Amino acid sequence: MTMVRVHRSTVIDAPVAAVWEIVRDFNGHDRWHPAVRTSQTERGYLTDQVGCIRNFVLTGGERIREQLLTLSDKERSLRYTIVESDVPLMNYVAEIVLKPITDGARTFWSWSSRFDTPPGQETALGSLVAEAVYEAGFESIRERLKDRWAPSSPPSGSSKTSAAFTRSITSALPAESKALSGQAMGIQRYGGPDELQPIEVHADAPGPGEVRLRHSAIGVNFIDVYCRTGYFKLLQPPGVPGMEAVGVVDEVGSGVTHVKVGQRVAYACPPVGAYASVRTLSAELVVPVPDTLDDQTVAAGLLKGMSAQFLVKTVHKVQAGENVLVYAPAGGVGQLLCQWAAHLGARVIGATSSEEKARIARASGASDVILPGAHSLEDQVMALTEGQGADVIYDAVGRDSFAHSVAALANCGHLVSFGQASGDIGSWDIGSLASKSSTVSRPNFGHYTDTPEKVSTITSDLFRMIETGTLRIAPPRTFPLTAAADAHRALEGRATTGSTILIP
Amino acid sequence: MVEVYTSSVIDASVDRVWAVIRDFNGLPTWHPAVVESRIEGAQPADQIGCVRAFRLADGGFIREKLLALSDYDLSCTYSMLESPMGVENYVATMKLTPITDGGRTFAEWSAEFDCPPAREEELASGIGQGVFQGGFDALKAKLGG
């Protein structure tokens, strides 16, 4: 036997992260490689589990079993070997390496292998591997990413070409579309963090108007704790919590036009079920993620950023020169409210409990920070505003802060009460609000995000603010999905500033 | 430690690009920032351990030592012994890989070094954009694409 070496390489006009997202999936060739009809992993192996074995049926009917030897998200490389094959490739070890081309946001892709063949078949099998496997794979990915990354393509990718391409991808799928198995963290009953236990889930093939996603990052929000404890009845056990995630579209159902297979998307809304590696849900709920934003930033900032957006743009339109008081300014939503209101030209005052959090508030744009002290909150606000009071107050504290907030308002001021971290607000006499012509709002996330149009307006504003660097999303604290209980403990223990996310 | 990574595509075969950059004493023939270079002690320029001493267009003087050279991997690694830049433990690697699709070359140039935290950004961009990208741009102009 003679050893054959094959090396092919190319340049793809897309950032390395976009190419890696597709190539990294060891069980994904059936969705992009023209030579592969079906792909299935054995014995419940996860696709990024080293040792995973995939079973290919090629378009010619041949079967190949391949095993993942190496996977590196750092080097963006993977190596695999053939363990059994109808094609006589022996001692076959292949390597894929992606590298960023830093002058132009493109990708260098190298695909190489060495193997033995029966005598006389070296050239034929060498060409087969080089051309039908590697080069054909390059062309398929190039074609697939072309619309997304061509400078002239519309951002929504709804051009004629891309629609046709989506159809050809979906029609190339096996007729009996299979459910996709994955891992989730679910609860069997309401209770403490340890009720969150790993379970296996199956994401069905998407029906009409649905999409199936492979999640890459999942947002953790305080509402997830309420779902787990049963305070909110959004989740009926047994079930999977979570309302925010970023992922890649794995498959689309009929009638879905605004996203396509391979596209990165995100959502932040009920119904619950985001604490999972795979999920099928209504396509209307997901929005495309701009290529300039990474998965972790979006998972950390989507729900909180959408909240901040409608709080400063719709519930109260913050104006330049207004005095804006923000409670919990170092928290996830609080940091974004400070930055956004300051960007709109308001003078931002933060109200928090420690010097450390005060520093975070100042870094987010608060020009003054109020700490508990000899003077009441309202006295401190009045002193800072020369007796005017706050034109708008963003108060998510609830019961303990309500009376102070009303007292700290300016004439015709607006109290936006959007949370109850300290407990139910309780009952208040609205008659006294006349003494300053005060307005009180109790906005609910659901009502500001209940149509695709509203979500699209909010998210495009939010993404633009992040892309231009106007809004900074602090790097989130990350936990593996399987450590969701630890993430909840950290959140409930108030040990966090900024956001927390889970990585499947 | 600061890491800098710059990469590019040069529209020339890997053999042509390697022939230019393999010469450890050849910076003045292609890099716009370098005006003259010599190898100390009259050693061959491909002898591992040799030191090149070169002068920059702005008058700066730099000495660098060849740590590794591979005609198999098409890569070259060197350290900086002396420079006006204010960096320590500077080690850089230049590596070429053929792009089989089109007969072009994928070129990578990376470095690791230590410096005071306040200067990290300035030095990383000066080296990555100035020295490395400047070199790539000159190679592209010289060899095509």
Side-chain angles (χ1 to χ4, degrees), chain A residues 5 7-11 99-103 106 108 135 139 142, chain B residues 5-9 97-101 104 106 108 133 137 140:
Chain A
R5 287 181 184 275
H7 177 240
R8 287 294 183 272
S9 52
T10 192
V11 174
K99 301 232 175 169
I101 298 171
T102 59
D103 67 348
R106 294 179 294 163
F108 171 72
E135 289 178 355
E139 293 319 310
R142 194 192 319 282
Chain B
Y5 177 85
T6 303
S7 58
S8 189
V9 174
T97 313
I99 301 172
T100 60
D101 160 20
R104 295 169 292 166
F106 176 60
E108 300 171 272
Q133 187 63 46
D137 290 342
K140 288 184 197 187

PDB file of all heavy atoms in Angstrom, chain A residues 5 7-11 99-103 106 108 135 139 142, chain B residues 5-9 97-101 104 106 108 133 137 140:
ATOM      1  N   ARG A   5      -1.303  11.558   0.299  1.00  0.00           N
ATOM      2  CA  ARG A   5      -1.590  12.796   1.038  1.00  0.00           C
ATOM      3  C   ARG A   5      -2.396  13.714   0.138  1.00  0.00           C
ATOM      4  O   ARG A   5      -2.070  13.881  -1.036  1.00  0.00           O
ATOM      5  CB  ARG A   5      -0.308  13.519   1.421  1.00  0.00           C
ATOM      6  CG  ARG A   5       0.453  12.857   2.537  1.00  0.00           C
ATOM      7  CD  ARG A   5       1.715  13.662   2.860  1.00  0.00           C
ATOM      8  NE  ARG A   5       2.492  12.973   3.860  1.00  0.00           N
ATOM      9  CZ  ARG A   5       2.275  13.077   5.169  1.00  0.00           C
ATOM     10  NH1 ARG A   5       1.308  13.861   5.621  1.00  0.00           N
ATOM     11  NH2 ARG A   5       3.020  12.411   6.026  1.00  0.00           N
ATOM     12  N   HIS A   7      -4.148  17.642   0.033  1.00  0.00           N
ATOM     13  CA  HIS A   7      -4.324  18.938   0.692  1.00  0.00           C
ATOM     14  C   HIS A   7      -5.059  19.881  -0.248  1.00  0.00           C
ATOM     15  O   HIS A   7      -4.671  20.050  -1.395  1.00  0.00           O
ATOM     16  CB  HIS A   7      -2.976  19.564   1.078  1.00  0.00           C
ATOM     17  CG  HIS A   7      -3.126  20.929   1.689  1.00  0.00           C
ATOM     18  ND1 HIS A   7      -2.569  22.060   1.153  1.00  0.00           N
ATOM     19  CD2 HIS A   7      -3.812  21.331   2.780  1.00  0.00           C
ATOM     20  CE1 HIS A   7      -2.901  23.109   1.902  1.00  0.00           C
ATOM     21  NE2 HIS A   7      -3.650  22.700   2.879  1.00  0.00           N
ATOM     22  N   ARG A   8      -6.146  20.444   0.249  1.00  0.00           N
ATOM     23  CA  ARG A   8      -6.857  21.454  -0.519  1.00  0.00           C
ATOM     24  C   ARG A   8      -7.121  22.637   0.398  1.00  0.00           C
ATOM     25  O   ARG A   8      -7.363  22.453   1.594  1.00  0.00           O
ATOM     26  CB  ARG A   8      -8.195  20.915  -1.045  1.00  0.00           C
ATOM     27  CG  ARG A   8      -8.035  19.928  -2.203  1.00  0.00           C
ATOM     28  CD  ARG A   8      -7.457  20.618  -3.436  1.00  0.00           C
ATOM     29  NE  ARG A   8      -7.343  19.748  -4.590  1.00  0.00           N
ATOM     30  CZ  ARG A   8      -6.300  18.974  -4.870  1.00  0.00           C
ATOM     31  NH1 ARG A   8      -5.260  18.950  -4.045  1.00  0.00           N
ATOM     32  NH2 ARG A   8      -6.281  18.228  -5.956  1.00  0.00           N
ATOM     33  N   SER A   9      -7.064  23.836  -0.160  1.00  0.00           N
ATOM     34  CA  SER A   9      -7.338  25.019   0.658  1.00  0.00           C
ATOM     35  C   SER A   9      -7.978  26.083  -0.206  1.00  0.00           C
ATOM     36  O   SER A   9      -7.828  26.089  -1.432  1.00  0.00           O
ATOM     37  CB  SER A   9      -6.057  25.544   1.296  1.00  0.00           C
ATOM     38  OG  SER A   9      -5.064  25.736   0.314  1.00  0.00           O
ATOM     39  N   THR A  10      -8.694  26.964   0.466  1.00  0.00           N
ATOM     40  CA  THR A  10      -9.400  28.007  -0.276  1.00  0.00           C
ATOM     41  C   THR A  10      -9.622  29.209   0.629  1.00  0.00           C
ATOM     42  O   THR A  10      -9.295  29.185   1.811  1.00  0.00           O
ATOM     43  CB  THR A  10     -10.749  27.478  -0.815  1.00  0.00           C
ATOM     44  OG1 THR A  10     -11.277  28.415  -1.765  1.00  0.00           O
ATOM     45  CG2 THR A  10     -11.771  27.296   0.298  1.00  0.00           C
ATOM     46  N   VAL A  11     -10.189  30.253   0.025  1.00  0.00           N
ATOM     47  CA  VAL A  11     -10.558  31.460   0.769  1.00  0.00           C
ATOM     48  C   VAL A  11     -12.067  31.632   0.653  1.00  0.00           C
ATOM     49  O   VAL A  11     -12.616  31.568  -0.449  1.00  0.00           O
ATOM     50  CB  VAL A  11      -9.835  32.700   0.199  1.00  0.00           C
ATOM     51  CG1 VAL A  11     -10.337  33.972   0.868  1.00  0.00           C
ATOM     52  CG2 VAL A  11      -8.328  32.555   0.375  1.00  0.00           C
ATOM     53  N   LYS A  99      -8.635  29.662   9.480  1.00  0.00           N
ATOM     54  CA  LYS A  99      -7.864  30.775  10.036  1.00  0.00           C
ATOM     55  C   LYS A  99      -8.467  32.079   9.549  1.00  0.00           C
ATOM     56  O   LYS A  99      -8.914  32.174   8.400  1.00  0.00           O
ATOM     57  CB  LYS A  99      -6.414  30.704   9.565  1.00  0.00           C
ATOM     58  CG  LYS A  99      -5.727  29.418   9.951  1.00  0.00           C
ATOM     59  CD  LYS A  99      -4.443  29.703  10.648  1.00  0.00           C
ATOM     60  CE  LYS A  99      -3.807  28.427  11.137  1.00  0.00           C
ATOM     61  NZ  LYS A  99      -2.441  28.644  11.579  1.00  0.00           N
ATOM     62  N   PRO A 100      -8.466  33.089  10.417  1.00  0.00           N
ATOM     63  CA  PRO A 100      -8.980  34.396   9.973  1.00  0.00           C
ATOM     64  C   PRO A 100      -7.985  35.072   9.044  1.00  0.00           C
ATOM     65  O   PRO A 100      -6.780  34.990   9.263  1.00  0.00           O
ATOM     66  CB  PRO A 100      -9.104  35.184  11.282  1.00  0.00           C
ATOM     67  CG  PRO A 100      -8.105  34.566  12.201  1.00  0.00           C
ATOM     68  CD  PRO A 100      -8.004  33.113  11.804  1.00  0.00           C
ATOM     69  N   ILE A 101      -8.484  35.718   8.000  1.00  0.00           N
ATOM     70  CA  ILE A 101      -7.641  36.595   7.184  1.00  0.00           C
ATOM     71  C   ILE A 101      -7.922  37.998   7.708  1.00  0.00           C
ATOM     72  O   ILE A 101      -9.018  38.531   7.512  1.00  0.00           O
ATOM     73  CB  ILE A 101      -7.983  36.466   5.689  1.00  0.00           C
ATOM     74  CG1 ILE A 101      -7.702  35.026   5.231  1.00  0.00           C
ATOM     75  CG2 ILE A 101      -7.180  37.462   4.860  1.00  0.00           C
ATOM     76  CD1 ILE A 101      -8.189  34.715   3.837  1.00  0.00           C
ATOM     77  N   THR A 102      -6.966  38.552   8.443  1.00  0.00           N
ATOM     78  CA  THR A 102      -7.294  39.747   9.227  1.00  0.00           C
ATOM     79  C   THR A 102      -7.463  40.990   8.358  1.00  0.00           C
ATOM     80  O   THR A 102      -8.126  41.920   8.759  1.00  0.00           O
ATOM     81  CB  THR A 102      -6.236  40.004  10.316  1.00  0.00           C
ATOM     82  OG1 THR A 102      -4.958  40.174   9.688  1.00  0.00           O
ATOM     83  CG2 THR A 102      -6.158  38.841  11.287  1.00  0.00           C
ATOM     84  N   ASP A 103      -6.862  41.024   7.158  1.00  0.00           N
ATOM     85  CA  ASP A 103      -7.106  42.214   6.337  1.00  0.00           C
ATOM     86  C   ASP A 103      -8.272  41.945   5.388  1.00  0.00           C
ATOM     87  O   ASP A 103      -8.099  41.792   4.195  1.00  0.00           O
ATOM     88  CB  ASP A 103      -5.834  42.676   5.599  1.00  0.00           C
ATOM     89  CG  ASP A 103      -5.348  41.700   4.543  1.00  0.00           C
ATOM     90  OD1 ASP A 103      -5.851  40.564   4.513  1.00  0.00           O
ATOM     91  OD2 ASP A 103      -4.484  42.081   3.740  1.00  0.00           O
ATOM     92  N   ARG A 106     -12.056  37.724   5.978  1.00  0.00           N
ATOM     93  CA  ARG A 106     -12.338  36.511   5.237  1.00  0.00           C
ATOM     94  C   ARG A 106     -11.751  35.314   5.977  1.00  0.00           C
ATOM     95  O   ARG A 106     -11.166  35.467   7.048  1.00  0.00           O
ATOM     96  CB  ARG A 106     -11.740  36.621   3.831  1.00  0.00           C
ATOM     97  CG  ARG A 106     -12.410  37.694   2.983  1.00  0.00           C
ATOM     98  CD  ARG A 106     -11.785  37.795   1.601  1.00  0.00           C
ATOM     99  NE  ARG A 106     -10.397  38.259   1.681  1.00  0.00           N
ATOM    100  CZ  ARG A 106      -9.529  38.131   0.682  1.00  0.00           C
ATOM    101  NH1 ARG A 106      -9.898  37.554  -0.444  1.00  0.00           N
ATOM    102  NH2 ARG A 106      -8.293  38.576   0.804  1.00  0.00           N
ATOM    103  N   PHE A 108      -9.452  31.644   5.689  1.00  0.00           N
ATOM    104  CA  PHE A 108      -8.616  30.655   5.011  1.00  0.00           C
ATOM    105  C   PHE A 108      -9.027  29.292   5.548  1.00  0.00           C
ATOM    106  O   PHE A 108      -9.102  29.077   6.751  1.00  0.00           O
ATOM    107  CB  PHE A 108      -7.142  30.919   5.314  1.00  0.00           C
ATOM    108  CG  PHE A 108      -6.224  29.822   4.845  1.00  0.00           C
ATOM    109  CD1 PHE A 108      -5.965  29.645   3.493  1.00  0.00           C
ATOM    110  CD2 PHE A 108      -5.625  28.960   5.756  1.00  0.00           C
ATOM    111  CE1 PHE A 108      -5.122  28.630   3.061  1.00  0.00           C
ATOM    112  CE2 PHE A 108      -4.777  27.942   5.331  1.00  0.00           C
ATOM    113  CZ  PHE A 108      -4.532  27.777   3.979  1.00  0.00           C
ATOM    114  N   GLU A 135     -13.128  19.915  -2.300  1.00  0.00           N
ATOM    115  CA  GLU A 135     -13.455  21.069  -3.143  1.00  0.00           C
ATOM    116  C   GLU A 135     -14.964  21.273  -3.257  1.00  0.00           C
ATOM    117  O   GLU A 135     -15.450  22.397  -3.228  1.00  0.00           O
ATOM    118  CB  GLU A 135     -12.806  20.919  -4.526  1.00  0.00           C
ATOM    119  CG  GLU A 135     -11.295  21.101  -4.447  1.00  0.00           C
ATOM    120  CD  GLU A 135     -10.598  20.912  -5.789  1.00  0.00           C
ATOM    121  OE1 GLU A 135     -11.269  20.539  -6.770  1.00  0.00           O
ATOM    122  OE2 GLU A 135      -9.367  21.138  -5.845  1.00  0.00           O
ATOM    123  N   GLU A 139     -17.102  24.663  -2.200  1.00  0.00           N
ATOM    124  CA  GLU A 139     -18.027  25.390  -3.081  1.00  0.00           C
ATOM    125  C   GLU A 139     -19.404  25.511  -2.453  1.00  0.00           C
ATOM    126  O   GLU A 139     -20.078  26.520  -2.577  1.00  0.00           O
ATOM    127  CB  GLU A 139     -18.118  24.718  -4.454  1.00  0.00           C
ATOM    128  CG  GLU A 139     -16.832  24.799  -5.261  1.00  0.00           C
ATOM    129  CD  GLU A 139     -16.153  26.163  -5.164  1.00  0.00           C
ATOM    130  OE1 GLU A 139     -16.826  27.192  -5.366  1.00  0.00           O
ATOM    131  OE2 GLU A 139     -14.942  26.209  -4.864  1.00  0.00           O
ATOM    132  N   ARG A 142     -19.221  28.113   0.221  1.00  0.00           N
ATOM    133  CA  ARG A 142     -19.051  29.424  -0.414  1.00  0.00           C
ATOM    134  C   ARG A 142     -20.398  29.927  -0.926  1.00  0.00           C
ATOM    135  O   ARG A 142     -20.797  31.065  -0.677  1.00  0.00           O
ATOM    136  CB  ARG A 142     -18.064  29.302  -1.584  1.00  0.00           C
ATOM    137  CG  ARG A 142     -17.556  30.640  -2.100  1.00  0.00           C
ATOM    138  CD  ARG A 142     -16.805  30.550  -3.419  1.00  0.00           C
ATOM    139  NE  ARG A 142     -15.909  29.417  -3.550  1.00  0.00           N
ATOM    140  CZ  ARG A 142     -14.696  29.346  -2.996  1.00  0.00           C
ATOM    141  NH1 ARG A 142     -14.261  30.330  -2.247  1.00  0.00           N
ATOM    142  NH2 ARG A 142     -13.940  28.287  -3.167  1.00  0.00           N
TER     143      ARG A 142
ATOM    144  N   TYR B   5      -1.782  39.102  15.866  1.00  0.00           N
ATOM    145  CA  TYR B   5      -1.935  38.167  14.745  1.00  0.00           C
ATOM    146  C   TYR B   5      -2.429  38.928  13.526  1.00  0.00           C
ATOM    147  O   TYR B   5      -3.442  39.619  13.598  1.00  0.00           O
ATOM    148  CB  TYR B   5      -2.928  37.057  15.117  1.00  0.00           C
ATOM    149  CG  TYR B   5      -3.204  36.071  13.993  1.00  0.00           C
ATOM    150  CD1 TYR B   5      -2.377  34.978  13.777  1.00  0.00           C
ATOM    151  CD2 TYR B   5      -4.293  36.253  13.135  1.00  0.00           C
ATOM    152  CE1 TYR B   5      -2.620  34.082  12.754  1.00  0.00           C
ATOM    153  CE2 TYR B   5      -4.549  35.355  12.098  1.00  0.00           C
ATOM    154  CZ  TYR B   5      -3.711  34.271  11.916  1.00  0.00           C
ATOM    155  OH  TYR B   5      -3.944  33.376  10.904  1.00  0.00           O
ATOM    156  N   THR B   6      -1.711  38.813  12.436  1.00  0.00           N
ATOM    157  CA  THR B   6      -2.114  39.462  11.188  1.00  0.00           C
ATOM    158  C   THR B   6      -2.006  38.417  10.078  1.00  0.00           C
ATOM    159  O   THR B   6      -1.061  37.622  10.068  1.00  0.00           O
ATOM    160  CB  THR B   6      -1.187  40.652  10.882  1.00  0.00           C
ATOM    161  OG1 THR B   6      -1.218  41.559  11.978  1.00  0.00           O
ATOM    162  CG2 THR B   6      -1.641  41.395   9.638  1.00  0.00           C
ATOM    163  N   SER B   7      -2.983  38.398   9.176  1.00  0.00           N
ATOM    164  CA  SER B   7      -2.918  37.423   8.087  1.00  0.00           C
ATOM    165  C   SER B   7      -3.481  38.033   6.822  1.00  0.00           C
ATOM    166  O   SER B   7      -4.252  38.987   6.876  1.00  0.00           O
ATOM    167  CB  SER B   7      -3.700  36.152   8.460  1.00  0.00           C
ATOM    168  OG  SER B   7      -5.036  36.465   8.747  1.00  0.00           O
ATOM    169  N   SER B   8      -3.091  37.463   5.700  1.00  0.00           N
ATOM    170  CA  SER B   8      -3.487  38.061   4.432  1.00  0.00           C
ATOM    171  C   SER B   8      -3.387  37.024   3.314  1.00  0.00           C
ATOM    172  O   SER B   8      -2.859  35.934   3.522  1.00  0.00           O
ATOM    173  CB  SER B   8      -2.563  39.245   4.127  1.00  0.00           C
ATOM    174  OG  SER B   8      -3.048  39.951   3.016  1.00  0.00           O
ATOM    175  N   VAL B   9      -3.920  37.394   2.168  1.00  0.00           N
ATOM    176  CA  VAL B   9      -3.805  36.543   0.986  1.00  0.00           C
ATOM    177  C   VAL B   9      -2.959  37.278  -0.048  1.00  0.00           C
ATOM    178  O   VAL B   9      -3.225  38.435  -0.358  1.00  0.00           O
ATOM    179  CB  VAL B   9      -5.201  36.231   0.399  1.00  0.00           C
ATOM    180  CG1 VAL B   9      -5.067  35.470  -0.915  1.00  0.00           C
ATOM    181  CG2 VAL B   9      -6.034  35.445   1.400  1.00  0.00           C
ATOM    182  N   THR B  97       1.127  29.336   3.793  1.00  0.00           N
ATOM    183  CA  THR B  97       0.415  28.104   3.474  1.00  0.00           C
ATOM    184  C   THR B  97      -0.152  28.260   2.066  1.00  0.00           C
ATOM    185  O   THR B  97      -0.698  29.320   1.744  1.00  0.00           O
ATOM    186  CB  THR B  97      -0.750  27.862   4.454  1.00  0.00           C
ATOM    187  OG1 THR B  97      -0.279  28.061   5.780  1.00  0.00           O
ATOM    188  CG2 THR B  97      -1.304  26.456   4.332  1.00  0.00           C
ATOM    189  N   PRO B  98      -0.007  27.227   1.228  1.00  0.00           N
ATOM    190  CA  PRO B  98      -0.565  27.362  -0.121  1.00  0.00           C
ATOM    191  C   PRO B  98      -2.095  27.365  -0.099  1.00  0.00           C
ATOM    192  O   PRO B  98      -2.705  26.633   0.677  1.00  0.00           O
ATOM    193  CB  PRO B  98      -0.042  26.121  -0.852  1.00  0.00           C
ATOM    194  CG  PRO B  98       0.321  25.146   0.218  1.00  0.00           C
ATOM    195  CD  PRO B  98       0.687  25.951   1.431  1.00  0.00           C
ATOM    196  N   ILE B  99      -2.676  28.205  -0.950  1.00  0.00           N
ATOM    197  CA  ILE B  99      -4.117  28.142  -1.201  1.00  0.00           C
ATOM    198  C   ILE B  99      -4.242  27.385  -2.516  1.00  0.00           C
ATOM    199  O   ILE B  99      -3.927  27.922  -3.585  1.00  0.00           O
ATOM    200  CB  ILE B  99      -4.731  29.547  -1.295  1.00  0.00           C
ATOM    201  CG1 ILE B  99      -4.493  30.314   0.010  1.00  0.00           C
ATOM    202  CG2 ILE B  99      -6.224  29.469  -1.605  1.00  0.00           C
ATOM    203  CD1 ILE B  99      -4.903  31.779  -0.053  1.00  0.00           C
ATOM    204  N   THR B 100      -4.654  26.120  -2.451  1.00  0.00           N
ATOM    205  CA  THR B 100      -4.615  25.290  -3.659  1.00  0.00           C
ATOM    206  C   THR B 100      -5.600  25.790  -4.702  1.00  0.00           C
ATOM    207  O   THR B 100      -5.423  25.590  -5.888  1.00  0.00           O
ATOM    208  CB  THR B 100      -4.915  23.813  -3.325  1.00  0.00           C
ATOM    209  OG1 THR B 100      -6.219  23.720  -2.747  1.00  0.00           O
ATOM    210  CG2 THR B 100      -3.890  23.259  -2.355  1.00  0.00           C
ATOM    211  N   ASP B 101      -6.653  26.426  -4.219  1.00  0.00           N
ATOM    212  CA  ASP B 101      -7.667  26.975  -5.099  1.00  0.00           C
ATOM    213  C   ASP B 101      -7.162  28.320  -5.628  1.00  0.00           C
ATOM    214  O   ASP B 101      -7.309  29.346  -4.995  1.00  0.00           O
ATOM    215  CB  ASP B 101      -8.955  27.095  -4.268  1.00  0.00           C
ATOM    216  CG  ASP B 101      -9.946  28.060  -4.839  1.00  0.00           C
ATOM    217  OD1 ASP B 101      -9.869  28.367  -6.029  1.00  0.00           O
ATOM    218  OD2 ASP B 101     -10.828  28.501  -4.082  1.00  0.00           O
ATOM    219  N   ARG B 104      -2.647  30.697  -4.850  1.00  0.00           N
ATOM    220  CA  ARG B 104      -2.274  31.869  -4.068  1.00  0.00           C
ATOM    221  C   ARG B 104      -1.618  31.441  -2.751  1.00  0.00           C
ATOM    222  O   ARG B 104      -1.427  30.260  -2.496  1.00  0.00           O
ATOM    223  CB  ARG B 104      -3.529  32.710  -3.777  1.00  0.00           C
ATOM    224  CG  ARG B 104      -4.155  33.310  -5.024  1.00  0.00           C
ATOM    225  CD  ARG B 104      -5.528  33.889  -4.736  1.00  0.00           C
ATOM    226  NE  ARG B 104      -6.506  32.835  -4.416  1.00  0.00           N
ATOM    227  CZ  ARG B 104      -7.694  33.083  -3.876  1.00  0.00           C
ATOM    228  NH1 ARG B 104      -8.044  34.318  -3.585  1.00  0.00           N
ATOM    229  NH2 ARG B 104      -8.529  32.094  -3.634  1.00  0.00           N
ATOM    230  N   PHE B 106      -1.548  31.985   1.548  1.00  0.00           N
ATOM    231  CA  PHE B 106      -2.082  32.491   2.810  1.00  0.00           C
ATOM    232  C   PHE B 106      -0.881  32.788   3.705  1.00  0.00           C
ATOM    233  O   PHE B 106      -0.078  31.898   3.977  1.00  0.00           O
ATOM    234  CB  PHE B 106      -2.995  31.441   3.440  1.00  0.00           C
ATOM    235  CG  PHE B 106      -3.533  31.835   4.796  1.00  0.00           C
ATOM    236  CD1 PHE B 106      -4.305  32.974   4.966  1.00  0.00           C
ATOM    237  CD2 PHE B 106      -3.274  31.041   5.906  1.00  0.00           C
ATOM    238  CE1 PHE B 106      -4.811  33.320   6.214  1.00  0.00           C
ATOM    239  CE2 PHE B 106      -3.781  31.378   7.161  1.00  0.00           C
ATOM    240  CZ  PHE B 106      -4.542  32.525   7.306  1.00  0.00           C
ATOM    241  N   GLU B 108       0.687  34.351   7.296  1.00  0.00           N
ATOM    242  CA  GLU B 108       0.380  34.705   8.683  1.00  0.00           C
ATOM    243  C   GLU B 108       1.632  35.274   9.329  1.00  0.00           C
ATOM    244  O   GLU B 108       2.735  34.759   9.121  1.00  0.00           O
ATOM    245  CB  GLU B 108      -0.035  33.468   9.482  1.00  0.00           C
ATOM    246  CG  GLU B 108      -1.257  32.755   8.947  1.00  0.00           C
ATOM    247  CD  GLU B 108      -1.453  31.428   9.678  1.00  0.00           C
ATOM    248  OE1 GLU B 108      -0.876  30.425   9.225  1.00  0.00           O
ATOM    249  OE2 GLU B 108      -2.145  31.412  10.704  1.00  0.00           O
ATOM    250  N   GLN B 133       1.116  44.247   8.672  1.00  0.00           N
ATOM    251  CA  GLN B 133       0.248  44.557   7.528  1.00  0.00           C
ATOM    252  C   GLN B 133       1.013  45.384   6.494  1.00  0.00           C
ATOM    253  O   GLN B 133       0.840  45.187   5.290  1.00  0.00           O
ATOM    254  CB  GLN B 133      -1.008  45.292   8.000  1.00  0.00           C
ATOM    255  CG  GLN B 133      -2.054  45.509   6.902  1.00  0.00           C
ATOM    256  CD  GLN B 133      -2.595  44.196   6.360  1.00  0.00           C
ATOM    257  OE1 GLN B 133      -2.939  43.297   7.120  1.00  0.00           O
ATOM    258  NE2 GLN B 133      -2.661  44.056   5.046  1.00  0.00           N
ATOM    259  N   ASP B 137       1.313  44.326   2.639  1.00  0.00           N
ATOM    260  CA  ASP B 137       0.914  45.216   1.551  1.00  0.00           C
ATOM    261  C   ASP B 137       2.068  45.383   0.553  1.00  0.00           C
ATOM    262  O   ASP B 137       1.849  45.413  -0.661  1.00  0.00           O
ATOM    263  CB  ASP B 137       0.484  46.583   2.109  1.00  0.00           C
ATOM    264  CG  ASP B 137      -0.844  46.482   2.858  1.00  0.00           C
ATOM    265  OD1 ASP B 137      -1.571  45.478   2.653  1.00  0.00           O
ATOM    266  OD2 ASP B 137      -1.158  47.386   3.651  1.00  0.00           O
ATOM    267  N   LYS B 140       2.370  42.228  -1.500  1.00  0.00           N
ATOM    268  CA  LYS B 140       1.310  42.185  -2.514  1.00  0.00           C
ATOM    269  C   LYS B 140       1.678  43.073  -3.692  1.00  0.00           C
ATOM    270  O   LYS B 140       1.496  42.695  -4.854  1.00  0.00           O
ATOM    271  CB  LYS B 140      -0.014  42.670  -1.923  1.00  0.00           C
ATOM    272  CG  LYS B 140      -0.649  41.702  -0.953  1.00  0.00           C
ATOM    273  CD  LYS B 140      -2.003  42.276  -0.540  1.00  0.00           C
ATOM    274  CE  LYS B 140      -2.511  41.606   0.717  1.00  0.00           C
ATOM    275  NZ  LYS B 140      -3.874  42.013   1.034  1.00  0.00           N
TER     276      LYS B 140
END
